[in-house]
């Protein structure tokens, strides 16, 4: 007698999700998953005996009765992967093309990110230069204002009567009204008692 087979699990390529667009290899993995059929052993079955049956996919499949199995037992037999339908093969090709297109766009995105980073860095450097220039201008204005605020020193003159030890070329010093110390030399032709006007 021959065993009777019933398909209990089959993985179809049409069951693949949109994740194949992320990696076509996932689609190939789904295509490669095995299909199992449940076989009911006939009355002459015993462990180790070989049987052959025609699976639902048309393939001739041979198997040995596992240990502990006998007549009437149900055995799951791997009958091989399901062949992909033409439309499923077209979908796999489309998924591969979409994946390749995504891979091609990644370098462009990386280049754009590098460009935007470089532009941001240039803008930051320009802003720093502008801040430095503004600070320098403020410092220059402050220095000019401070110089303007300083009162101009008043020029004056003082009449000095030369003492008894005076002679041409000798130096004398006196304190001006604004607190400065003024030093002068006795001019030629002047001596003790001479009156000299000293400008400072």
């Amino acid at each position: 007698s021959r065993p009777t087979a019933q398909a209990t699990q089959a993985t179809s390529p049409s069951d693949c999700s949109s994740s194949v667009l992320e990696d076509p290899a996932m689609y190939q993995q789904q295509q490669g998953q095995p299909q199992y059929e449940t076989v009911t052993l006939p009355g002459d079955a015993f462990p180790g005996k070989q049987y052959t049956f025609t699976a639902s996919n048309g393939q001739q499949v041979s198997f040995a009765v596992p240990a502990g199995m006998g007549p009437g037992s149900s055995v799951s037999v791997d009958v091989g992967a399901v062949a992909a339908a033409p439309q499923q093969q077209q979908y796999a090709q489309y998924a591969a093309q979409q994946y390749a297109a995504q891979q091609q766009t990644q370098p462009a995105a990386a280049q754009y990110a590098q460009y935007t980073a470089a532009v941001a860095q240039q803008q930051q450097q320009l802003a720093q230069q502008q801040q430095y220039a503004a600070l320098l201008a403020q410092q220059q204005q402050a220095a000019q204002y401070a110089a303007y605020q300083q009162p101009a020193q008043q020029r004056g003159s003082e009449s000095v009567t030369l003492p008894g030890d005076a002679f041409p070329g000798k130096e004398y010093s006196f304190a001006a009204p604004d607190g400065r110390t003024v030093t002068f030399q006795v001019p030629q032709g002047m001596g003790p008692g001479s009156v000299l006007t000293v400008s400072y």
Side-chain angles (χ1 to χ4, degrees), residues 1 30 32 49 64 68 75 93 104 118 135 141 153-154 168 185:
S1 58
Q30 291 179 354
K49 185 174 181 178
V75 180
Q93 183 178 3
Q104 291 176 356
L135 179 61
Q141 290 177 357
Q153 295 179 348
Q154 298 292 332
Q185 286 185 347

Side-chain angles (χ1 to χ4, degrees), residues 115-153:
Y115 169 76
T116 54
V119 170
Q121 185 177 7
Q122 291 177 354
Q123 291 177 345
Q124 184 179 5
Q125 292 177 351
L126 179 60
Q128 291 176 351
Q129 292 176 355
Q130 292 175 346
Q131 291 177 355
Y132 175 76
L135 179 61
L136 184 60
Q138 291 178 355
Q139 292 176 348
Q140 291 176 347
Q141 290 177 357
Q144 293 174 357
Y145 180 76
Y148 175 78
Q149 290 296 322
Q150 290 179 355
Q153 295 179 348

Side-chain angles (χ1 to χ4, degrees), residues 12 17 20 26 43 50 52 54 60 76 90 110 124-125 128 134 148-149 156 162 167 182 188 191:
S12 172
S17 65
V20 298
M26 297 177 61
Q50 294 282 339
T52 300
T54 302
Q60 292 291 319
S76 292
Q90 293 176 359
Q124 184 179 5
Q125 292 177 351
Q128 291 176 351
Y148 175 78
Q149 290 296 322
L162 297 177
F167 58 87
V182 181
Q188 293 292 330

